[in-house]
Amino acid sequence: MVDLVNDPFPDLAALDGLWRSAWGGPVAAGYGRVLERSLVHVGAYEAGVLVGFVNVAWDGGVHAFVLDTCVHAEHQRKGIATALVQRAAELARVRGAEWLHVDFESQLEGFYRRCGFAPSAAGVMRLV
């Protein structure tokens, strides 16, 4: 059974283990500062262990942005990511966001469409 926890502020060691499993690399240094400024973040825990996570950043107004959706490799394909995004979307709405944006790689399009995101034209610029 997986429990979703609103704004858990997980320790960086737990996040690092999740990041390494989900993305093959470490969590960014200073990620705790990112969470302090977020509109919401949600953790998925199984037996007290962080197995999934999503962050929602915002502009301080009506726009919010889904970031860092991930699930530990051993727990994928169980609906955890969908539950995380749905919970995060509801909390973002309750906390004042009117628009929820997400950028994703092409292989994740089906997932985010199933989560309720509509197609939109957007742009991105790499700065480093």
Side-chain angles (χ1 to χ4, degrees):
M1 170 128 191
V2 173
D3 295 312
L4 299 182
V5 178
N6 303 341
D7 304 316
F9 289 95
D11 65 54
L12 290 183
L15 277 172
D16 191 65
L18 175 58
W19 253 241
R20 288 177 187 280
S21 173
W23 289 319
V27 68
Y31 194 76
R33 290 189 316 264
V34 171
L35 297 182
E36 291 170 2
R37 293 185 211 104
S38 296
L39 179 60
V40 63
H41 54 278
V42 182
Y45 291 84
E46 184 175 80
V49 176
L50 182 68
V51 298
F53 188 79
V54 67
N55 181 33
V56 178
W58 68 318
D59 65 356
V62 298
H63 294 272
F65 309 86
V66 172
L67 300 168
D68 304 327
T69 307
C70 62
V71 174
H72 192 284
E74 295 176 6
H75 297 272
Q76 293 176 358
R77 305 255 181 238
K78 298 179 181 178
I80 296 170
T82 300
L84 285 165
V85 170
Q86 289 172 341
R87 169 75 64 87
E90 177 58 20
L91 288 169
R93 184 191 64 75
V94 168
R95 294 178 184 182
E98 295 178 18
W99 295 96
L100 187 58
H101 306 260
V102 66
D103 292 323
F104 49 81
E105 295 178 355
S106 59
Q107 71 269 19
L108 296 174
E109 182 173 359
F111 167 73
Y112 283 108
R113 297 289 177 255
R114 287 188 300 277
C115 286
F117 288 89
S120 68
V124 64
M125 177 190 298
R126 185 177 177 99
L127 299 177
V128 291

